[in-house]
Amino acid sequence: MTPTTRMIEGPTTVETTKVSEPACLSACLDRSYRTYAEHSALRFIRDDDVETTLTYAQLDVDVHRMGCYFTASGIRKGDRVILFLPKSVGFLVAHLSLLRIGAVSVPVNPGFRQTEMDYLVSDTDPALIVADTPQAEILEKVNSHCSVLVLRTDQSYDDVDFFRSFPEKIPTVDIQPQDPGTIIYTSGTTGQPKGAILTQGNLAHDAMNIIDIWQINDADRICHALPLFHVHGLGFAVHTALMAGSEILLHDRFIPQTIIGALARKEPENRCSVFMAVPAMYVKMIETIEKERMDFDHVRLWTSGSAPLLTKDFDRIKAVFGKAPVEREGMSETGMNFSNPLNGRKKPGSIGRPLPQLEVKIVSPETGTLLPSGEVGEIWLKGPGITPGYWQKPQETTKAFEEGWFKTGDLGYVDQDGYYFLTDRLKNIIISGGENISPKEVETVINQIDGVLESSVVGIPDEKWGEKVVAAIKCRPGAKRDASAIRNHCRDHLHAWKTPKDIRFVEEIPKNRMGKVLTHDVRQLFTDSSVI
């Protein structure tokens, strides 16, 4: 990768490098399978026990065989396939197989309910859904004629045999960098979730950038405790590790005590060197460790992203784990954009500096004019990692771009040292424990309840989760005000982390003269002790 250079464009600093030839993620992974054939690619750990181990050569064979199964099942280049599965080896092999045959992998949260899947299936129009048994039962209630492949993840991956009789070599498929590789659904405040298309080139560029800036290599062992349906756990962690020849310790879920134990191991065959997490995970781990002194010196890189990291938590991580965390920023639509330096000054509260080949400018949200360093404005991005648009949403795509620049909706500024800081979001997405939550989606579910006239859902600061979901609700006169019933209704239709943690019943939702909800005033409703 060529060294980063600085280019000044008016009053705004833009970070960029010479553009390298675009690559396909599938081709990059094929190269890794061959180069690191005898290296361990991953160990899947369930309940602190190693259940499955695959070398790069074995992973290659399984990717090809499952790809041949998909092809024999009628899946073709460009077809969407939803992965409605818990974190597992089967999930990962299915995803990699789809990339290899040029199909489009659509990973979704395995905890989604019928209402959420109704929309996603309708929007994606998949050729196939791969689901575990509990998820398949939910799909039986979804209005769709799509085929469902049941892939059980409660059994060992070695016992998953539906694809093992197929050939070890996928027929040649012409895959180009601009071809879609995956669709990641991202929440929005103005409607239903949008599917951000990430091309094979987007995904490859993102992984190569991370390898470059964090010096990921084949000597690294990555402790993976993130979900696989996010760009964080799937792109930043898995794609990056496999392209670099690293080994992945793939934990089935995040259990603080288990992850602490894995990170504390010092034996050469088990010693981890990299850990990627969201702030809420670090908080839970620190609470578990309490005052116990543990040695994590062998872990060379601790990263934090997907939600803001409080300065006090930055200091706590450094004190407990022995190194300052590397804060970074990314989006479903763009991959990773900013990172503090691996070696160099790390500024608490800063998302760091732009990654190679990314151009950044800060503009006035009202006029779109460039702003000088130090002034807060909307962050716009341009680069090879950015989505070409949203699936089946041309109007939303048009709104998101301005003369080739992607409008992030985030407010921030750059300081005199070239470090960027986020101050707020134009799009009022709630980020709780690293999860993006659409207030509009939650409001739609609440407003369906008999007796509810309208609601306003916002996020308020929370020390453990970064933000928590709260709801102000206006009921019909005489209607019963039952916060527990409303929460139960939300849990029946939404994932638990979208359910409001606090509810206040109000006579009127705060609005301006034009009828627009005053979200700041709604948040103020939850600042006293009378919250239900």
Side-chain angles (χ1 to χ4, degrees):
M1 185 70 68
T2 52
T4 301
T5 59
R6 302 191 78 190
M7 178 178 71
I8 305 300
E9 182 180 306
T12 302
T13 300
V14 179
E15 302 287 342
T16 185
T17 62
K18 294 180 181 179
V19 178
S20 58
E21 288 296 319
C24 292
L25 179 62
S26 59
C28 293
L29 293 174
D30 277 349
R31 193 176 305 117
S32 283
Y33 300 149
R34 295 191 301 271
T35 304
Y36 308 107
E38 301 309 314
H39 292 207
S40 175
L42 66 88
R43 280 183 267 171
F44 180 66
I45 301 169
R46 194 197 302 269
D47 297 328
D48 209 18
D49 291 324
V50 177
E51 182 178 279
T52 303
T53 300
L54 290 177
T55 65
Y56 276 84
Q58 291 169 330
L59 181 59
D60 186 23
V61 168
D62 281 2
V63 165
H64 278 259
R65 282 177 168 164
M66 193 175 288
C68 288
Y69 168 85
F70 285 136
T71 300
S73 301
I75 306 302
R76 297 293 179 261
K77 179 182 177 181
D79 285 345
R80 279 78 55 209
V81 177
I82 290 179
L83 301 181
F84 192 24
L85 292 164
K87 187 176 182 181
S88 59
V89 181
F91 180 117
L92 190 56
V93 173
H95 169 73
L96 297 173
S97 300
L98 294 168
L99 290 173
R100 187 60 187 78
I101 65 173
V104 184
S105 168
V106 187
V108 301
N109 190 324
F112 277 163
R113 305 293 193 260
Q114 178 192 342
T115 303
E116 294 157 310
M117 290 307 297
D118 269 326
Y119 167 75
L120 290 174
V121 171
S122 174
D123 191 64
T124 306
D125 187 24
L128 177 69
I129 303 175
V130 186
D132 201 347
T133 304
Q135 287 73 30
E137 291 174 358
I138 291 173
L139 291 170
E140 290 176 358
K141 305 173 185 176
V142 172
N143 184 23
S144 171
H145 298 292
C146 177
S147 297
V148 176
L149 166 67
V150 176
L151 194 165
R152 288 182 56 191
T153 63
D154 60 341
Q155 61 183 358
S156 170
Y157 172 73
D158 294 335
D159 295 328
V160 178
D161 59 5
F162 66 87
F163 64 95
R164 298 189 189 276
S165 62
F166 283 82
E168 296 182 8
K169 187 65 177 176
I170 295 171
T172 301
V173 181
D174 180 23
I175 302 174
Q176 298 298 318
Q178 67 270 20
D179 291 333
T182 188
I183 295 176
I184 302 291
Y185 273 85
T186 180
S187 297
T189 57
T190 57
Q192 294 283 10
K194 303 187 293 289
I197 302 167
L198 295 177
T199 67
Q200 291 263 351
N202 291 152
L203 297 168
H205 169 79
D206 194 40
M208 286 189 287
N209 255 352
I210 298 169
I211 289 170
D212 180 44
I213 62 165
W214 288 346
Q215 299 174 19
I216 308 295
N217 58 71
D218 60 355
D220 278 319
R221 182 175 291 118
I222 296 174
C223 180
H224 192 297
L226 295 161
L228 287 177
F229 55 84
H230 275 179
V231 71
H232 190 173
L234 189 60
F236 304 170
V238 169
H239 294 166
T240 298
L242 293 179
M243 276 181 57
S246 306
E247 182 182 24
I248 304 169
L249 297 190
L250 194 71
H251 289 264
D252 67 329
R253 54 199 166 121
F254 174 68
I255 302 175
Q257 190 61 55
T258 299
I259 301 304
I260 291 167
L263 290 166
R265 293 191 179 107
K266 294 182 177 297
E267 319 90 71
E269 66 276 12
N270 292 315
R271 189 166 53 218
C272 292
S273 57
V274 177
F275 182 61
M276 302 182 190
V278 303
M281 293 167 67
Y282 282 113
V283 170
K284 287 186 176 182
M285 289 165 64
I286 290 171
E287 290 175 348
T288 301
I289 292 173
E290 293 183 337
K291 295 182 180 180
E292 183 180 357
R293 295 184 63 85
M294 302 183 71
D295 181 8
F296 298 99
D297 283 350
H298 52 283
V299 181
R300 70 172 185 86
L301 175 61
W302 307 83
T303 78
S304 180
S306 296
L309 180 67
L310 300 176
T311 299
K312 66 175 184 179
D313 290 330
F314 178 99
D315 294 336
R316 293 170 72 194
I317 292 169
K318 184 177 180 180
V320 172
F321 297 107
K323 290 183 179 68
V326 175
E327 292 182 73
R328 59 89 190 153
E329 183 275 344
M331 300 177 68
S332 299
E333 295 95 332
T334 64
M336 196 183 298
N337 302 311
F338 300 87
S339 175
N340 276 264
L342 175 64
N343 300 305
R345 184 181 181 188
K346 301 170 181 62
K347 290 192 177 185
S350 170
I351 55 176
R353 295 173 57 86
L355 269 62
Q357 299 186 35
L358 181 74
E359 297 178 68
V360 186
K361 66 179 180 180
I362 296 178
V363 305
S364 165
E366 291 78 23
T367 65
T369 56
L370 286 165
L371 296 176
S373 297
E375 286 199 20
V376 173
E378 185 180 7
I379 298 175
W380 288 11
L381 307 173
K382 183 186 290 185
I386 294 172
T387 177
Y390 297 108
W391 175 254
Q392 300 283 54
K393 288 183 171 51
Q395 291 183 340
E396 294 286 353
T397 298
T398 300
K399 290 178 184 177
F401 288 88
E402 186 75 31
E403 297 181 350
W405 291 89
F406 179 74
K407 300 184 289 186
T408 67
D410 289 325
L411 294 175
Y413 67 93
V414 58
D415 69 9
Q416 68 277 8
D417 299 321
Y419 285 70
Y420 284 75
F421 293 78
L422 297 180
T423 59
D424 206 342
R425 289 185 297 278
L426 288 176
K427 306 169 185 176
N428 292 313
I429 290 295
I430 300 168
I431 302 180
S432 182
E435 300 286 353
N436 286 356
I437 301 168
S438 164
K440 181 68 173 179
E441 185 182 16
V442 182
E443 289 166 4
T444 299
V445 170
I446 293 174
N447 293 344
Q448 293 172 346
I449 299 173
D450 187 39
V452 171
L453 280 178
E454 61 178 330
S455 62
S456 177
V457 171
V458 298
I460 62 173
D462 182 82
E463 287 196 358
K464 177 173 287 188
W465 302 106
E467 287 184 302
K468 66 179 179 180
V469 180
V470 297
I473 299 174
K474 179 182 178 180
C475 294
R476 297 182 187 278
K480 184 178 181 180
R481 299 182 173 189
D482 188 338
S484 295
I486 289 172
R487 291 193 190 95
N488 289 337
H489 177 83
C490 288
R491 291 190 187 100
D492 288 340
H493 292 82
L494 299 167
H495 199 282
W497 42 262
K498 297 180 183 178
T499 299
K501 302 302 181 290
D502 293 323
I503 292 172
R504 176 179 283 278
F505 295 101
V506 296
E507 296 301 319
E508 296 292 340
I509 301 291
K511 297 178 181 178
N512 64 15
R513 291 185 179 180
M514 300 300 293
K516 182 178 179 180
V517 174
L518 301 171
T519 54
H520 177 269
D521 290 357
V522 174
R523 291 188 184 97
Q524 291 298 311
L525 296 173
F526 296 87
T527 59
D528 62 37
S529 59
S530 60
V531 176
I532 295 176

